[in-house]
Amino acid sequence: MDPVIIVGAGPVGLTLALALARQEVPCVVLDEGPGKDEPRAARTVVLREDTAALMERLTGMPLGRAGAHWAGWRSVRRKQVMREVVFDDAEPAPLHIAQHVLTGALRAALADEQLVKVAVDSRLDGLEQEPSGVTAHTRGPKGTWWRGSYLVGCDGPRSTVRKIQDIRFPGRTAVERHAVAALRTELPWHDEALLHRLPPWRMSGPSAGEVTARPLPDGVWRLDWLLPPGKDLVTPELLLTRIRETLAGWAGGTTPPYDLLDTGVHTVHHRLARRWRADRVFLAGDAAHLLGALGTHGLDEGLRDADNLAWKLALAWHHGPHEALLDSYQTERRAVVAARLRAADQALPLLRGGGGLRAVVPGSSRGHDALLTEGHLGHGQLGAPGAYADSPLAPRALEGEVPVDTPLGAPVTDVRVTAEDGTFVRLRDRLGRGALLVVLIAPGTGVWERKHWVGAGIMPQLAAAVTALPHRAELLVAESYPGAAAHTVLLVRPDGHLVTALGGVRPADLYAAAEATVGGPLKAQAEAGASAGSR
């Protein structure tokens, strides 16, 4: 079968290629550039803890050494500390990393993947679809035709794939603008991110009265100044003045020494593609959505697009067309991103208009700073990872379903589990392999070798039920899981979202849930696809 064609070699496209290769799907990545990225210290990304874990799992690198896991977060209004967060096991820290460092780690991992071919200096200028596949044409020194089974446009805001497919991309332009600087200096605090609203010192030039400081490794900081609406030019002289004023304000009046590494202006747009799938062509990342106001980070959502799509494409590639499964990518991911865009668009006038949230939303107890913190730290409607409770892949009501602390369709909590070979691993380490995960909660199993309990109690019955599932599944055992009673059985998707939690071994419920998760009976769909292809 032909490989999957991925257009675009940014973090989303490279992540998708790695995720597919780990599920034994060959890929071709069309990179319009030379195969390396220009270092930009001021172009950084913030990844939530589970997305950072996805990157480390795919690259095999401890990215925390290349980026920074913050020690804490502070929100300050004028001179008053409004909120402080200390990151620990209960509140994991996000990862702040330069985008070119992240992309470099992905490229290094792809260099060892025999199933992935990266074609540099290859700019897409045409594609054609037919029932059995996709043909793409690239221009450049090595312009040629490429044949693929599916094609995914990860080619950014000006996506050629989206334009060729005539997919509309409505939304709002320049929702926010920020002046950005990356510099090496010593601030009065260490390893903590800061959101400072209405700082007490005077700002030169246009200012909306908000600055954010986020630490990076080696004493480097990224500073973002929110700019007022309009198109006022941010000159180098004005930015240097802003840097000196801000550093002096934080240091008590005297500007500390600093080394300016990079500057820029970051403009936030809010857009959402009407469709994310057109037959065998898909959109992901900035080609499908743009967001980023109020602390939300678009790349994190783009990486979740890749994680969601990879296992579905892999299943279709290995077993034949699965239309319900492939359609669910657009249904799930577009709904999540649309909800975040709506939440940001509703909150933006309240926070930037100065009217006061409590005056506009009766009964609300959250202030502006708490709402902004949610967006920056990945909480609430502005920042929390999306759940797929209303997914077309969600099973119908199951008789044996029981509640746990993780809502149905939400990402599972990472816990220690015992694998089938008896080793202790993290639950997230078993994701991304194309298999469903069945997790039995069995207190006490962690203190005994697997051979002592694998054939006892309900384990043989559960093992038999897992073997009989309509799709490959791995049986894991955990001593505990938040909110789960002993003998609870969890079914987890390959991308780490909870399908169901069952009270005990219920083979019929488990089978029904697994079948719904993969979009219906695999064999029937494969035969239907083969029949359609022969006509």
Side-chain angles (χ1 to χ4, degrees):
M1 191 171 176
D2 294 320
V4 172
I5 299 174
I6 299 171
V7 182
V12 176
L14 299 176
T15 295
L16 180 59
L18 268 175
L20 286 170
R22 300 294 161 81
Q23 297 172 68
E24 302 180 348
V25 177
C27 305
V28 173
V29 180
L30 303 181
D31 184 356
E32 68 176 31
K36 58 182 179 180
D37 301 277
E38 176 188 1
R40 288 291 309 274
R43 190 177 187 185
T44 65
V45 296
V46 178
L47 304 180
R48 287 170 287 198
E49 184 250 354
D50 58 331
T51 319
L54 166 66
M55 293 295 94
E56 292 191 344
R57 187 169 70 245
L58 289 176
T59 62
M61 294 178 57
L63 295 178
R65 299 177 183 175
H69 285 290
W70 304 332
W73 165 274
R74 284 190 301 140
S75 177
V76 178
R77 184 178 178 86
R78 300 190 188 277
K79 295 182 179 182
Q80 180 182 3
V81 176
M82 304 296 294
R83 184 169 181 179
E84 289 187 90
V85 176
V86 176
F87 296 118
D88 52 24
D89 291 341
E91 178 73 51
L95 173 68
H96 187 205
I97 187 170
Q99 183 165 316
H100 71 270
V101 173
L102 176 62
T103 305
L106 291 165
R107 288 188 185 276
L110 276 174
D112 297 326
E113 281 291 351
Q114 297 182 352
L115 289 175
V116 179
K117 173 182 176 61
V118 179
V120 300
D121 299 318
S122 298
R123 182 179 179 84
L124 180 78
D125 63 0
L127 68 88
E128 298 175 359
Q129 288 199 64
E130 53 191 80
S132 59
V134 181
T135 304
H137 185 265
T138 55
R139 65 186 182 190
K142 300 179 181 179
T144 187
W145 289 94
W146 303 86
R147 179 68 179 173
S149 54
Y150 298 94
L151 183 144
V152 186
C154 305
D155 49 344
R158 296 180 176 86
S159 170
T160 301
V161 174
R162 190 184 64 241
K163 293 174 183 177
I164 291 175
Q165 294 301 126
D166 195 25
I167 297 174
R168 293 184 59 198
F169 198 39
R172 299 200 294 144
T173 300
V175 175
E176 285 187 351
R177 284 198 314 150
H178 297 260
V180 182
L183 48 90
R184 183 176 286 108
T185 190
E186 186 173 336
L187 295 181
W189 62 91
H190 300 284
D191 302 326
E192 287 186 348
L194 172 73
L195 171 65
H196 199 158
R197 306 188 72 217
L198 302 177
W201 59 87
R202 180 183 177 276
M203 286 280 195
S204 300
S207 173
E210 182 176 305
V211 57
T212 306
R214 301 181 181 94
L216 287 160
D218 303 322
V220 176
W221 293 81
R222 170 172 166 166
L223 306 186
D224 289 63
W225 293 267
L226 178 65
L227 299 173
K231 298 182 180 180
D232 295 315
L233 183 65
V234 181
T235 64
E237 294 78 12
L238 179 62
L239 187 53
L240 287 173
T241 301
R242 184 69 55 82
I243 291 171
R244 289 193 290 266
E245 290 173 344
T246 301
L247 296 183
W250 284 334
T254 302
T255 302
Y258 68 91
D259 181 15
L260 184 59
L261 305 176
D262 191 19
T263 62
V265 174
H266 173 55
T267 302
V268 175
H269 309 290
H270 280 180
R271 294 189 178 277
L272 186 65
R274 293 289 191 193
R275 294 180 293 142
W276 292 26
R277 181 189 181 194
D279 298 324
R280 288 180 174 266
V281 174
F282 300 82
L283 300 177
D286 286 352
H289 52 77
L290 294 175
L291 71 164
L294 304 178
T296 61
H297 301 281
L299 179 58
D300 192 280
E301 291 294 353
L303 298 176
R304 292 177 189 275
D305 295 344
D307 197 26
N308 182 290
L309 183 57
W311 71 274
K312 297 172 181 178
L313 276 181
L315 203 117
W317 195 90
H318 286 295
H319 297 281
H322 291 64
E323 295 308 311
L325 183 66
L326 295 177
D327 282 343
S328 73
Y329 164 68
Q330 171 179 301
T331 304
E332 292 178 346
R333 292 299 306 147
R334 193 177 187 278
V336 165
V337 175
R340 288 191 66 186
L341 283 171
R342 283 194 301 271
D345 284 342
Q346 290 168 3
L348 198 61
L350 310 179
L351 295 175
R352 303 308 188 208
L357 184 63
R358 290 187 178 92
V360 181
V361 184
S364 175
S365 61
R366 296 184 301 175
H368 292 187
D369 295 285
L371 194 59
L372 280 168
T373 297
E374 284 191 347
H376 281 280
L377 300 186
H379 300 158
Q381 288 184 316
L382 289 178
Y388 307 138
D390 298 325
S391 167
L393 304 182
R396 296 182 178 179
L398 303 172
E399 183 179 342
E401 203 161 63
V402 295
V404 295
D405 285 357
T406 302
L408 297 182
V412 293
T413 301
D414 192 27
V415 296
R416 191 181 78 157
V417 296
T418 305
E420 292 180 344
D421 62 0
T423 58
F424 293 116
V425 296
R426 304 301 300 182
L427 178 56
R428 284 184 185 149
D429 292 340
R430 314 309 289 184
L431 299 174
R433 305 180 179 204
L436 301 173
L437 302 181
V438 178
V439 185
L440 170 66
I441 311 305
T445 50
V447 299
W448 299 97
E449 290 187 39
R450 185 175 183 273
K451 64 182 180 181
H452 295 303
W453 49 258
V454 69
I458 63 173
M459 274 298 292
Q461 183 186 5
L462 180 58
V466 170
T467 301
L469 292 180
H471 182 62
R472 180 168 59 91
E474 181 179 8
L475 177 56
L476 305 168
V477 179
E479 280 203 88
S480 63
Y481 186 87
H487 296 168
T488 298
V489 175
L490 309 178
L491 179 63
V492 182
R493 296 178 6 163
D495 58 356
H497 287 253
L498 180 65
V499 177
T500 188
L502 302 173
V505 180
R506 295 176 174 269
D509 281 350
L510 189 61
Y511 189 98
E515 188 174 68
T517 301
V518 297
L522 294 181
K523 184 176 180 181
Q525 292 202 30
E527 290 175 350
S531 175
S534 65
R535 289 198 294 268

